[in-house]
């Protein structure tokens, strides 16, 4: 499972960083850095973060074109 | 339109952010025909913004920025193969491996590539890099891991500045060379350019503005560089961040309005032919497209922005499977973000489309502010530095062409209430190309450059 954050939308509310700290971290006061490939053990946390994001900036899905390699 | 637009054969050339988002949208809109994505890179679509941030910082491996897919695509992927031509009469895309892919409708989403160092022998020295692809990011990150003595970054646009920031955060010595008067000045103008210069120096960057790199030195391996002011430095890595080149060469003989400035299309993403006549079955979107925007006097905009790629891909896809009256215009207000030297920089509108700028909230001193840009008395852009939550308000002002300077809000702490000239330099003065180009309005420039067939 992969994620991408629409950082135009993201307002640095950091809910995601509280709910899934291994995937989302704040860098400086407002910038969000994240791991696009979600580790298996973090799926539930990331799902919760995606739901909790107040501006719905987190998109989750299977890695695109995974079968195309 | 004759026939059912939700059926038939759609081919997308360019399998990155724009190609993927368009493919998803086509299926979402009920397209049931055959869908083919052709991409030169062997990898499936991945995200580029992390390459100059998480990846260079060593936090995420370069191969780990794959984009999520939001729905089942039922698509045929042709990856690792370049499109070399387009036959608009027979309606087929020609591929480098000799194959031909027939289409009923085509989306051009071939984006841009990094501009190379102009001197090929110097550019081939071991230690000279560009940064656009995942492979390039992997190689550069590996070399940064090895602890170079000094990194030279050539060009202080967004990419160059982010690279310099990542190097400093790793504790590496960095020199940045920029031909213009300050970093980011081509995108944000003089006031924020001066702030960017101050920040880079405060973070220990050896920033040299108003100079060019005249030679990269080395014998097989890069050892140093010479500058136009007669000085030189030792460096074992040089990153060429001189902007992007649009991938339109494959369209040279297609008869489309495609050239170094991109593929010109209408507000509905339909490509123009070289006479300015709109085609009805060939569309363009993302970094490669050049389109008129009503908020900016219908000038042709080329944007190298993630958000534009997503929004324009969706408009193109919608219009590819809907008949004329149901088509939509691409009217999204341009927006981007950047993260560097501990700051979150976000922009809405087009800051270079301005004559004045005012710090409407916060202050330069604290590096926390909103700068609002105006053109002939109306608001055309706003840029926030560590103040992202205010930006939405200014976006409304841009959308409604509100008067400039904006009236101060109740919570506003204005440091310098008087607008000053926005000081946007001629792009010719910059090392890197502009990431937002307003083109087509200058009478001395031709609308498109049609390259003769060779
Ligand atoms: C290092 C970096 C950092 C960035 N950071 C930010 C940021 O912070 N904020 C922001 O808003 N934007 C940022 N961007 C810009 C953003 O990534 C682009 O706007 C986005 O990638 C555009 O997507 P695209 O699909 O239109 O084009 P591209 O991503 O350029 O993809 C085009 C694809 O087409 C393929 N292709 C080209 N020619 C052919 C051909 N003839 N045949 C077949 N395939 C072909 C290419 O190989 C490529 O895979 C950044 C870009 C880079 C490189
Ligand atoms: S929760 Fe949403 S808005 Fe907040 S930091 Fe995460 S992605 Fe950004």
């Amino acid at each position: 499972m992969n994620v991408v954050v629409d950082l135009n939308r993201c307002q640095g509310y950091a809910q995601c960083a509280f709910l899934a700290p291994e995937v989302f971290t704040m860098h400086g006061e407002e910038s969000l850095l994240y791991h696009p490939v979600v580790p298996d053990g973090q799926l539930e946390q990331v799902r919760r973060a995606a739901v909790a994001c107040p501006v719905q900036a987190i998109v989750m899905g299977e890695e695109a074109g995974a079968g195309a390699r | 339109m004759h026939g059912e637009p939700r059926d038939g054969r759609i081919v997308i050339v360019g399998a990155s952010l724009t190609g993927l988002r368009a493919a998803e949208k086509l299926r979402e809109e009920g397209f049931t025909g055959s869908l083919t994505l052709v991409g030169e890179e062997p990898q499936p679509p991945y995200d580029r913004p992390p390459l100059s941030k998480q990846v260079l910082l060593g936090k995420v491996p370069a191969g780990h920025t794959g984009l999520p897919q939001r729905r089942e695509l039922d698509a045929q992927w042709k990856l690792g193969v370049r499109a070399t031509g387009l036959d608009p009469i027979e309606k087929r895309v020609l591929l480098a491996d000799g194959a031909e892919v027939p289409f009923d409708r085509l989306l051009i989403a071939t984006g841009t590539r990094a501009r190379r160092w102009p001197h090929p022998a110097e550019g081939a020295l071991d230690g000279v890099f560009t940064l656009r692809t995942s492979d390039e990011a992997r190689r550069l990150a590996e070399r940064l891991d090895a602890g170079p003595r000094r990194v030279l970054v050539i060009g202080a646009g967004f990419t160059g500045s982010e690279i310099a920031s990542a190097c400093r955060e790793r504790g590496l010595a960095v020199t940045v060379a920029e031909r213009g008067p300050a970093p980011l000045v081509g995108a944000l103008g003089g006031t924020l350019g001066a702030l960017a210069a101050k920040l880079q120096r405060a973070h220990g960057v050896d920033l040299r503005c108003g100079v060019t790199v005249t030679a990269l030195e080395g014998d097989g391996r890069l050892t140093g560089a010479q500058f136009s002011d007669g000085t030189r430095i030792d460096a074992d890595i040089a990153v060429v961040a001189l902007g992007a080149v649009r991938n339109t060469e494959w369209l040279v003989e297609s008869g489309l309005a495609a050239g170094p400035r991109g593929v010109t299309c209408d507000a509905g993403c339909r490509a123009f032919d070289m006479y300015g006549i709109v085609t009805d079955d060939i569309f363009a979107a993302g970094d490669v497209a050049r389109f008129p925007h009503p908020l900016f006097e219908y000038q042709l905009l080329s944007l190298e922005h993630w958000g534009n790629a997503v929004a324009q891909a969706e408009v193109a896809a919608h219009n590819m499977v809907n008949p004329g009256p149901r088509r939509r215009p691409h009217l999204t207000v341009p927006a981007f973000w950047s993260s560097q030297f501990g700051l979150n920089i976000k922009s809405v509108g087009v800051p270079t489309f301005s004559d004045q700028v005012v710090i409407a909230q916060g202050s330069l001193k604290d590096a926390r502010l909103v700068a609002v840009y105006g053109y002939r008395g109306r608001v055309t852009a706003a840029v926030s530095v560590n103040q992202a939550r205010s930006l939405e308000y200014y976006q409304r002002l841009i959308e409604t062409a509100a008067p400039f300077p904006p009236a101060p809000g109740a919570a506003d702490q204005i440091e310098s209430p008087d607008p000053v000239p926005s000081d946007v330099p001629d792009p010719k003065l910059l090392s890197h190309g502009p990431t937002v180009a307003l083109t087509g309005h200058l009478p001395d420039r031709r609308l498109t450059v049609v390259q003769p067939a060779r």
Side-chain angles (χ1 to χ4, degrees), chain A residues 7-8, chain B residues 12-20 38-43 45-53 78 81-85 93-95 108-113 131-133 137 158-159 162-163 247-251 285-289 303-310 335-339 345:
Chain A
L7 291 170
N8 287 318
Chain B
I12 298 176
V13 181
S16 182
L17 180 64
T18 299
L20 173 66
V38 178
E40 183 171 11
E41 294 181 83
Q43 304 95 320
Y46 59 85
D47 209 28
R48 292 179 209 275
L51 300 181
S52 52
K53 304 174 185 81
K78 291 187 187 294
V81 59
R82 204 161 77 84
T84 51
V93 174
L94 318 178
L95 304 185
I108 297 169
T110 46
T112 64
R113 62 179 183 274
L131 180 60
R132 177 85 199 171
T133 67
F158 281 103
T159 305
E162 288 182 4
I163 294 166
N247 292 318
T248 54
E249 291 81 356
W250 68 286
L251 297 168
D287 279 14
V288 78
L303 302 172
E304 295 171 36
H305 296 165
W306 191 95
N308 181 65
V310 170
F336 69 87
W337 78 92
S338 170
S339 155
I345 302 175

Side-chain angles (χ1 to χ4, degrees), chain B residues 28-72:
Chain B
E28 192 184 310
E29 296 255 344
F31 175 66
T32 54
S34 87
L35 180 57
T36 307
L37 285 111
V38 178
E40 183 171 11
E41 294 181 83
Q43 304 95 320
Y46 59 85
D47 209 28
R48 292 179 209 275
L51 300 181
S52 52
K53 304 174 185 81
Q54 294 96 306
V55 172
L56 284 196
L57 285 169
K59 293 179 192 285
V60 168
H64 282 209
T65 76
L67 283 163
Q69 173 174 309
R70 294 180 299 184
R71 54 168 44 244
E72 202 43 63

Side-chain angles (χ1 to χ4, degrees), chain B residues 291-333:
Chain B
F291 62 98
H293 202 303
L295 274 178
F296 306 99
E297 295 180 351
Y298 291 94
Q299 288 189 48
L300 294 172
L301 274 180
S302 343
L303 302 172
E304 295 171 36
H305 296 165
W306 191 95
N308 181 65
V310 170
Q312 202 172 17
E314 296 195 345
V315 173
H318 172 90
N319 291 348
M320 288 175 89
V321 294
N322 280 282
R326 271 190 264 135
R327 285 183 173 158
R328 288 191 202 134
H330 174 51
L331 299 177
T332 317
V333 177

Side-chain angles (χ1 to χ4, degrees), chain A residues 5 9-17 26 32 49 52-55 57-58:
Chain A
V5 180
R9 253 175 205 235
C10 167
Q11 307 211 325
Y13 286 106
Q15 266 89 329
C16 54
M26 297 312 290
L32 178 67
C53 171
V55 291
I58 302 170

Side-chain angles (χ1 to χ4, degrees), chain B residues 73-124:
Chain B
L73 288 184
D74 186 20
Q76 215 195 327
W77 297 81
K78 291 187 187 294
L79 299 181
V81 59
R82 204 161 77 84
T84 51
L86 162 63
D87 179 343
I89 311 272
E90 297 294 327
K91 299 180 78 161
R92 3 173 237 202
V93 174
L94 318 178
L95 304 185
D97 61 8
E100 294 181 353
V101 193
F103 63 84
D104 296 307
R105 273 150 293 156
L106 171 71
L107 177 65
I108 297 169
T110 46
T112 64
R113 62 179 183 274
R115 188 182 300 283
R116 309 266 144 205
W117 185 242
H119 190 302
E122 293 178 8

